[in-house]
mmCIF file of all heavy atoms in Angstrom:
data_model
loop_
_atom_site.group_PDB
_atom_site.id
_atom_site.type_symbol
_atom_site.label_atom_id
_atom_site.label_comp_id
_atom_site.label_asym_id
_atom_site.label_seq_id
_atom_site.Cartn_x
_atom_site.Cartn_y
_atom_site.Cartn_z
ATOM 1 N N ARG A 186 49.831 -21.447 -21.316
ATOM 2 C CA ARG A 186 48.383 -21.535 -21.422
ATOM 3 C C ARG A 186 47.949 -21.369 -22.875
ATOM 4 O O ARG A 186 46.992 -22.002 -23.288
ATOM 5 C CB ARG A 186 47.834 -20.415 -20.461
ATOM 6 C CG ARG A 186 46.358 -20.525 -20.240
ATOM 7 C CD ARG A 186 45.844 -19.569 -19.234
ATOM 8 N NE ARG A 186 44.364 -19.695 -18.987
ATOM 9 C CZ ARG A 186 43.691 -18.796 -18.309
ATOM 10 N NH1 ARG A 186 44.196 -17.768 -17.863
ATOM 11 N NH2 ARG A 186 42.401 -19.031 -18.130
ATOM 12 N N VAL A 187 48.564 -20.401 -23.543
ATOM 13 C CA VAL A 187 48.232 -20.227 -24.979
ATOM 14 C C VAL A 187 48.573 -21.519 -25.780
ATOM 15 O O VAL A 187 47.733 -21.996 -26.599
ATOM 16 C CB VAL A 187 49.015 -19.107 -25.611
ATOM 17 C CG1 VAL A 187 48.816 -18.995 -27.098
ATOM 18 C CG2 VAL A 187 48.457 -17.758 -25.010
ATOM 19 N N LEU A 188 49.641 -22.179 -25.427
ATOM 20 C CA LEU A 188 49.980 -23.398 -26.103
ATOM 21 C C LEU A 188 48.966 -24.514 -25.893
ATOM 22 O O LEU A 188 48.636 -25.239 -26.818
ATOM 23 C CB LEU A 188 51.383 -23.908 -25.680
ATOM 24 C CG LEU A 188 51.995 -25.106 -26.333
ATOM 25 C CD1 LEU A 188 52.039 -24.978 -27.837
ATOM 26 C CD2 LEU A 188 53.433 -25.433 -25.785
ATOM 27 N N GLU A 189 48.492 -24.614 -24.634
ATOM 28 C CA GLU A 189 47.437 -25.566 -24.256
ATOM 29 C C GLU A 189 46.255 -25.345 -25.233
ATOM 30 O O GLU A 189 45.508 -26.219 -25.740
ATOM 31 C CB GLU A 189 47.048 -25.505 -22.891
ATOM 32 C CG GLU A 189 47.919 -26.336 -21.933
ATOM 33 C CD GLU A 189 47.794 -27.813 -22.134
ATOM 34 O OE1 GLU A 189 46.788 -28.249 -22.752
ATOM 35 O OE2 GLU A 189 48.614 -28.556 -21.719
ATOM 36 N N MET A 190 45.891 -24.061 -25.396
ATOM 37 C CA MET A 190 44.715 -23.684 -26.197
ATOM 38 C C MET A 190 44.921 -23.983 -27.695
ATOM 39 O O MET A 190 44.002 -24.364 -28.416
ATOM 40 C CB MET A 190 44.302 -22.182 -25.974
ATOM 41 C CG MET A 190 43.847 -21.906 -24.567
ATOM 42 S SD MET A 190 43.435 -20.202 -24.282
ATOM 43 C CE MET A 190 42.822 -20.216 -22.618
ATOM 44 N N LEU A 191 46.090 -23.777 -28.120
ATOM 45 C CA LEU A 191 46.479 -24.119 -29.548
ATOM 46 C C LEU A 191 46.279 -25.604 -29.729
ATOM 47 O O LEU A 191 45.732 -26.059 -30.818
ATOM 48 C CB LEU A 191 47.911 -23.763 -29.841
ATOM 49 C CG LEU A 191 48.361 -22.247 -29.911
ATOM 50 C CD1 LEU A 191 49.811 -22.161 -30.248
ATOM 51 C CD2 LEU A 191 47.464 -21.597 -31.096
ATOM 52 N N LYS A 192 46.683 -26.452 -28.782
ATOM 53 C CA LYS A 192 46.509 -27.893 -28.871
ATOM 54 C C LYS A 192 45.065 -28.206 -28.824
ATOM 55 O O LYS A 192 44.758 -29.285 -29.483
ATOM 56 C CB LYS A 192 47.243 -28.570 -27.730
ATOM 57 C CG LYS A 192 47.483 -30.019 -27.909
ATOM 58 C CD LYS A 192 48.412 -30.625 -26.908
ATOM 59 C CE LYS A 192 48.823 -32.065 -27.244
ATOM 60 N NZ LYS A 192 47.641 -32.977 -27.397
ATOM 61 N N ARG A 193 44.184 -27.471 -28.205
ATOM 62 C CA ARG A 193 42.830 -27.765 -28.192
ATOM 63 C C ARG A 193 42.213 -27.343 -29.542
ATOM 64 O O ARG A 193 40.927 -27.587 -29.748
ATOM 65 C CB ARG A 193 42.131 -27.062 -27.042
ATOM 66 C CG ARG A 193 42.432 -27.727 -25.723
ATOM 67 C CD ARG A 193 42.100 -26.784 -24.521
ATOM 68 N NE ARG A 193 40.833 -26.074 -24.761
ATOM 69 C CZ ARG A 193 40.550 -25.002 -24.023
ATOM 70 N NH1 ARG A 193 41.300 -24.484 -23.081
ATOM 71 N NH2 ARG A 193 39.391 -24.384 -24.188
ATOM 72 N N GLY A 194 42.982 -26.681 -30.453
ATOM 73 C CA GLY A 194 42.392 -26.299 -31.702
ATOM 74 C C GLY A 194 41.756 -24.874 -31.777
ATOM 75 O O GLY A 194 41.104 -24.528 -32.693
ATOM 76 N N LEU A 195 41.962 -24.079 -30.693
ATOM 77 C CA LEU A 195 41.380 -22.698 -30.656
ATOM 78 C C LEU A 195 42.154 -21.813 -31.605
ATOM 79 O O LEU A 195 43.417 -21.862 -31.668
ATOM 80 C CB LEU A 195 41.427 -22.229 -29.183
ATOM 81 C CG LEU A 195 40.221 -22.538 -28.308
ATOM 82 C CD1 LEU A 195 40.128 -24.053 -28.057
ATOM 83 C CD2 LEU A 195 40.319 -21.838 -27.021
ATOM 84 N N GLN A 196 41.430 -20.978 -32.195
ATOM 85 C CA GLN A 196 42.046 -19.879 -33.027
ATOM 86 C C GLN A 196 42.376 -18.664 -32.251
ATOM 87 O O GLN A 196 41.960 -18.556 -31.014
ATOM 88 C CB GLN A 196 41.101 -19.518 -34.136
ATOM 89 C CG GLN A 196 40.749 -20.699 -35.054
ATOM 90 C CD GLN A 196 41.973 -21.257 -35.779
ATOM 91 O OE1 GLN A 196 42.794 -20.524 -36.288
ATOM 92 N NE2 GLN A 196 42.142 -22.543 -35.636
ATOM 93 N N ASN A 197 43.161 -17.751 -32.773
ATOM 94 C CA ASN A 197 43.570 -16.585 -32.014
ATOM 95 C C ASN A 197 42.463 -15.782 -31.407
ATOM 96 O O ASN A 197 42.555 -15.285 -30.267
ATOM 97 C CB ASN A 197 44.342 -15.593 -32.992
ATOM 98 C CG ASN A 197 45.788 -16.141 -33.316
ATOM 99 O OD1 ASN A 197 46.109 -17.297 -32.790
ATOM 100 N ND2 ASN A 197 46.445 -15.531 -34.259
ATOM 101 N N LYS A 198 41.359 -15.642 -32.144
ATOM 102 C CA LYS A 198 40.228 -14.812 -31.614
ATOM 103 C C LYS A 198 39.626 -15.486 -30.423
ATOM 104 O O LYS A 198 39.273 -14.807 -29.425
ATOM 105 C CB LYS A 198 39.137 -14.725 -32.771
ATOM 106 C CG LYS A 198 37.930 -13.809 -32.335
ATOM 107 C CD LYS A 198 37.000 -13.592 -33.548
ATOM 108 C CE LYS A 198 35.802 -12.701 -33.166
ATOM 109 N NZ LYS A 198 34.923 -12.515 -34.368
ATOM 110 N N GLN A 199 39.505 -16.821 -30.477
ATOM 111 C CA GLN A 199 38.944 -17.566 -29.224
ATOM 112 C C GLN A 199 39.930 -17.506 -28.122
ATOM 113 O O GLN A 199 39.475 -17.381 -26.974
ATOM 114 C CB GLN A 199 38.733 -19.094 -29.674
ATOM 115 C CG GLN A 199 37.638 -19.173 -30.829
ATOM 116 C CD GLN A 199 37.672 -20.624 -31.345
ATOM 117 O OE1 GLN A 199 38.658 -21.126 -31.916
ATOM 118 N NE2 GLN A 199 36.528 -21.292 -31.208
ATOM 119 N N ILE A 200 41.248 -17.608 -28.377
ATOM 120 C CA ILE A 200 42.128 -17.516 -27.325
ATOM 121 C C ILE A 200 42.160 -16.120 -26.583
ATOM 122 O O ILE A 200 42.151 -16.044 -25.401
ATOM 123 C CB ILE A 200 43.592 -17.816 -27.842
ATOM 124 C CG1 ILE A 200 43.654 -19.276 -28.337
ATOM 125 C CG2 ILE A 200 44.647 -17.563 -26.753
ATOM 126 C CD1 ILE A 200 44.940 -19.648 -29.028
ATOM 127 N N ALA A 201 42.033 -15.088 -27.472
ATOM 128 C CA ALA A 201 42.004 -13.809 -27.046
ATOM 129 C C ALA A 201 40.758 -13.562 -26.092
ATOM 130 O O ALA A 201 40.832 -12.944 -25.005
ATOM 131 C CB ALA A 201 41.934 -12.756 -28.136
ATOM 132 N N TYR A 202 39.596 -14.189 -26.494
ATOM 133 C CA TYR A 202 38.380 -14.040 -25.779
ATOM 134 C C TYR A 202 38.472 -14.711 -24.363
ATOM 135 O O TYR A 202 38.179 -14.183 -23.351
ATOM 136 C CB TYR A 202 37.226 -14.639 -26.534
ATOM 137 C CG TYR A 202 35.886 -14.617 -25.753
ATOM 138 C CD1 TYR A 202 35.101 -13.517 -25.673
ATOM 139 C CD2 TYR A 202 35.453 -15.742 -25.150
ATOM 140 C CE1 TYR A 202 33.896 -13.403 -24.990
ATOM 141 C CE2 TYR A 202 34.311 -15.749 -24.407
ATOM 142 C CZ TYR A 202 33.473 -14.560 -24.322
ATOM 143 O OH TYR A 202 32.311 -14.510 -23.760
ATOM 144 N N GLU A 203 39.079 -15.949 -24.359
ATOM 145 C CA GLU A 203 39.236 -16.710 -23.106
ATOM 146 C C GLU A 203 40.159 -16.061 -22.160
ATOM 147 O O GLU A 203 39.938 -16.078 -20.914
ATOM 148 C CB GLU A 203 39.618 -18.120 -23.374
ATOM 149 C CG GLU A 203 38.489 -19.005 -23.982
ATOM 150 C CD GLU A 203 38.755 -20.449 -23.622
ATOM 151 O OE1 GLU A 203 39.509 -20.811 -22.661
ATOM 152 O OE2 GLU A 203 38.158 -21.340 -24.385
ATOM 153 N N LEU A 204 41.270 -15.498 -22.704
ATOM 154 C CA LEU A 204 42.279 -14.909 -21.828
ATOM 155 C C LEU A 204 42.067 -13.472 -21.516
ATOM 156 O O LEU A 204 42.792 -12.776 -20.819
ATOM 157 C CB LEU A 204 43.669 -15.122 -22.409
ATOM 158 C CG LEU A 204 44.172 -16.557 -22.548
ATOM 159 C CD1 LEU A 204 45.521 -16.620 -23.118
ATOM 160 C CD2 LEU A 204 44.083 -17.340 -21.233
ATOM 161 N N LYS A 205 41.046 -12.805 -22.217
ATOM 162 C CA LYS A 205 40.726 -11.457 -22.106
ATOM 163 C C LYS A 205 41.936 -10.518 -22.446
ATOM 164 O O LYS A 205 42.350 -9.598 -21.745
ATOM 165 C CB LYS A 205 40.293 -11.148 -20.609
ATOM 166 C CG LYS A 205 38.958 -11.873 -20.283
ATOM 167 C CD LYS A 205 38.597 -11.502 -18.851
ATOM 168 C CE LYS A 205 37.250 -12.083 -18.502
ATOM 169 N NZ LYS A 205 37.129 -13.561 -18.646
ATOM 170 N N ILE A 206 42.561 -10.878 -23.576
ATOM 171 C CA ILE A 206 43.663 -10.094 -24.119
ATOM 172 C C ILE A 206 43.321 -9.831 -25.612
ATOM 173 O O ILE A 206 42.446 -10.420 -26.197
ATOM 174 C CB ILE A 206 44.991 -10.841 -24.007
ATOM 175 C CG1 ILE A 206 44.974 -12.234 -24.659
ATOM 176 C CG2 ILE A 206 45.385 -10.956 -22.543
ATOM 177 C CD1 ILE A 206 46.284 -13.046 -24.663
ATOM 178 N N SER A 207 44.150 -8.988 -26.261
ATOM 179 C CA SER A 207 43.870 -8.695 -27.622
ATOM 180 C C SER A 207 44.448 -9.774 -28.529
ATOM 181 O O SER A 207 45.357 -10.517 -28.245
ATOM 182 C CB SER A 207 44.543 -7.278 -28.017
ATOM 183 O OG SER A 207 46.000 -7.463 -28.000
ATOM 184 N N GLU A 208 43.893 -9.783 -29.790
ATOM 185 C CA GLU A 208 44.416 -10.772 -30.706
ATOM 186 C C GLU A 208 45.840 -10.483 -31.093
ATOM 187 O O GLU A 208 46.666 -11.410 -31.326
ATOM 188 C CB GLU A 208 43.550 -10.703 -31.991
ATOM 189 C CG GLU A 208 42.206 -11.395 -31.892
ATOM 190 C CD GLU A 208 41.467 -11.584 -33.272
ATOM 191 O OE1 GLU A 208 42.124 -12.291 -34.118
ATOM 192 O OE2 GLU A 208 40.422 -11.009 -33.394
ATOM 193 N N THR A 209 46.255 -9.240 -31.090
ATOM 194 C CA THR A 209 47.632 -8.887 -31.376
ATOM 195 C C THR A 209 48.578 -9.454 -30.301
ATOM 196 O O THR A 209 49.678 -10.015 -30.630
ATOM 197 C CB THR A 209 47.816 -7.382 -31.366
ATOM 198 O OG1 THR A 209 46.992 -6.783 -32.338
ATOM 199 C CG2 THR A 209 49.260 -6.980 -31.607
ATOM 200 N N THR A 210 48.157 -9.427 -29.024
ATOM 201 C CA THR A 210 48.966 -10.025 -27.918
ATOM 202 C C THR A 210 49.049 -11.573 -28.169
ATOM 203 O O THR A 210 50.063 -12.130 -27.946
ATOM 204 C CB THR A 210 48.281 -9.698 -26.615
ATOM 205 O OG1 THR A 210 48.242 -8.247 -26.431
ATOM 206 C CG2 THR A 210 49.164 -10.340 -25.477
ATOM 207 N N VAL A 211 47.953 -12.166 -28.563
ATOM 208 C CA VAL A 211 47.971 -13.594 -28.773
ATOM 209 C C VAL A 211 48.976 -13.970 -29.892
ATOM 210 O O VAL A 211 49.723 -14.865 -29.766
ATOM 211 C CB VAL A 211 46.561 -14.090 -29.222
ATOM 212 C CG1 VAL A 211 46.606 -15.540 -29.613
ATOM 213 C CG2 VAL A 211 45.595 -13.956 -28.065
ATOM 214 N N LYS A 212 48.973 -13.151 -30.956
ATOM 215 C CA LYS A 212 49.934 -13.373 -32.076
ATOM 216 C C LYS A 212 51.344 -13.243 -31.623
ATOM 217 O O LYS A 212 52.245 -14.017 -32.062
ATOM 218 C CB LYS A 212 49.704 -12.367 -33.250
ATOM 219 C CG LYS A 212 48.296 -12.563 -34.016
ATOM 220 C CD LYS A 212 48.128 -11.524 -35.084
ATOM 221 C CE LYS A 212 46.798 -11.730 -35.769
ATOM 222 N NZ LYS A 212 46.539 -10.745 -36.756
ATOM 223 N N VAL A 213 51.593 -12.352 -30.712
ATOM 224 C CA VAL A 213 52.983 -12.149 -30.196
ATOM 225 C C VAL A 213 53.364 -13.376 -29.364
ATOM 226 O O VAL A 213 54.460 -13.962 -29.522
ATOM 227 C CB VAL A 213 53.053 -10.911 -29.352
ATOM 228 C CG1 VAL A 213 54.428 -10.891 -28.551
ATOM 229 C CG2 VAL A 213 52.867 -9.614 -30.103
ATOM 230 N N HIS A 214 52.365 -13.855 -28.507
ATOM 231 C CA HIS A 214 52.626 -15.141 -27.783
ATOM 232 C C HIS A 214 52.959 -16.307 -28.702
ATOM 233 O O HIS A 214 53.894 -17.011 -28.449
ATOM 234 C CB HIS A 214 51.434 -15.388 -26.923
ATOM 235 C CG HIS A 214 51.385 -14.534 -25.672
ATOM 236 N ND1 HIS A 214 52.451 -14.187 -24.888
ATOM 237 C CD2 HIS A 214 50.265 -13.979 -25.009
ATOM 238 C CE1 HIS A 214 52.067 -13.508 -23.869
ATOM 239 N NE2 HIS A 214 50.724 -13.300 -23.947
ATOM 240 N N VAL A 215 52.086 -16.445 -29.717
ATOM 241 C CA VAL A 215 52.287 -17.550 -30.633
ATOM 242 C C VAL A 215 53.677 -17.486 -31.353
ATOM 243 O O VAL A 215 54.336 -18.484 -31.434
ATOM 244 C CB VAL A 215 51.164 -17.592 -31.705
ATOM 245 C CG1 VAL A 215 51.460 -18.664 -32.739
ATOM 246 C CG2 VAL A 215 49.800 -17.887 -31.022
ATOM 247 N N SER A 216 54.090 -16.346 -31.744
ATOM 248 C CA SER A 216 55.367 -16.184 -32.382
ATOM 249 C C SER A 216 56.521 -16.598 -31.404
ATOM 250 O O SER A 216 57.479 -17.245 -31.791
ATOM 251 C CB SER A 216 55.532 -14.712 -32.861
ATOM 252 O OG SER A 216 54.685 -14.398 -33.825
ATOM 253 N N ASP A 217 56.383 -16.106 -30.136
ATOM 254 C CA ASP A 217 57.376 -16.468 -29.187
ATOM 255 C C ASP A 217 57.384 -17.959 -28.880
ATOM 256 O O ASP A 217 58.469 -18.557 -28.686
ATOM 257 C CB ASP A 217 57.153 -15.658 -27.846
ATOM 258 C CG ASP A 217 57.588 -14.242 -27.987
ATOM 259 O OD1 ASP A 217 58.244 -13.870 -28.926
ATOM 260 O OD2 ASP A 217 57.076 -13.412 -27.114
ATOM 261 N N ILE A 218 56.188 -18.556 -28.878
ATOM 262 C CA ILE A 218 56.070 -20.054 -28.598
ATOM 263 C C ILE A 218 56.812 -20.781 -29.711
ATOM 264 O O ILE A 218 57.658 -21.714 -29.427
ATOM 265 C CB ILE A 218 54.698 -20.431 -28.520
ATOM 266 C CG1 ILE A 218 53.981 -19.953 -27.239
ATOM 267 C CG2 ILE A 218 54.487 -21.939 -28.549
ATOM 268 C CD1 ILE A 218 52.552 -20.094 -27.092
ATOM 269 N N LEU A 219 56.547 -20.444 -30.916
ATOM 270 C CA LEU A 219 57.169 -21.119 -32.064
ATOM 271 C C LEU A 219 58.661 -20.963 -32.030
ATOM 272 O O LEU A 219 59.436 -21.953 -32.284
ATOM 273 C CB LEU A 219 56.674 -20.607 -33.382
ATOM 274 C CG LEU A 219 55.160 -20.750 -33.658
ATOM 275 C CD1 LEU A 219 54.764 -20.203 -35.029
ATOM 276 C CD2 LEU A 219 54.647 -22.106 -33.441
ATOM 277 N N ARG A 220 59.144 -19.763 -31.675
ATOM 278 C CA ARG A 220 60.582 -19.521 -31.657
ATOM 279 C C ARG A 220 61.338 -20.339 -30.517
ATOM 280 O O ARG A 220 62.290 -21.024 -30.769
ATOM 281 C CB ARG A 220 60.915 -18.063 -31.363
ATOM 282 C CG ARG A 220 62.310 -17.694 -31.226
ATOM 283 C CD ARG A 220 62.456 -16.100 -31.030
ATOM 284 N NE ARG A 220 61.722 -15.629 -29.973
ATOM 285 C CZ ARG A 220 62.091 -15.627 -28.714
ATOM 286 N NH1 ARG A 220 63.254 -16.214 -28.352
ATOM 287 N NH2 ARG A 220 61.268 -15.065 -27.779
ATOM 288 N N LYS A 221 60.627 -20.390 -29.374
ATOM 289 C CA LYS A 221 61.223 -21.074 -28.298
ATOM 290 C C LYS A 221 61.187 -22.650 -28.429
ATOM 291 O O LYS A 221 61.975 -23.369 -27.857
ATOM 292 C CB LYS A 221 60.548 -20.696 -26.957
ATOM 293 C CG LYS A 221 60.791 -19.248 -26.473
ATOM 294 C CD LYS A 221 60.141 -18.882 -25.254
ATOM 295 C CE LYS A 221 60.448 -17.440 -24.861
ATOM 296 N NZ LYS A 221 59.651 -16.978 -23.615
#
């Protein structure tokens, strides 16, 4: 879901707002996505 939002051009703050999670959690997700 985070990857879909990245593709839509959303920034971490916007992703955090939509998913109701912290920006720190978004950063962890993004790091894991890039690694995988």
Side-chain angles (χ1 to χ4, degrees):
R186 195 174 180 192
V187 170
L188 183 55
E189 277 290 341
M190 293 179 176
L191 290 178
K192 195 170 188 300
R193 284 163 44 196
L195 273 63
Q196 298 302 310
N197 289 353
K198 185 175 183 179
Q199 296 168 300
I200 295 172
Y202 177 79
E203 286 206 21
L204 298 182
K205 296 179 174 59
I206 57 179
S207 69
E208 284 189 62
T209 301
T210 301
V211 173
K212 290 178 182 178
V213 171
H214 282 319
V215 172
S216 295
D217 285 343
I218 289 168
L219 300 184
R220 175 177 56 82
K221 291 178 179 180

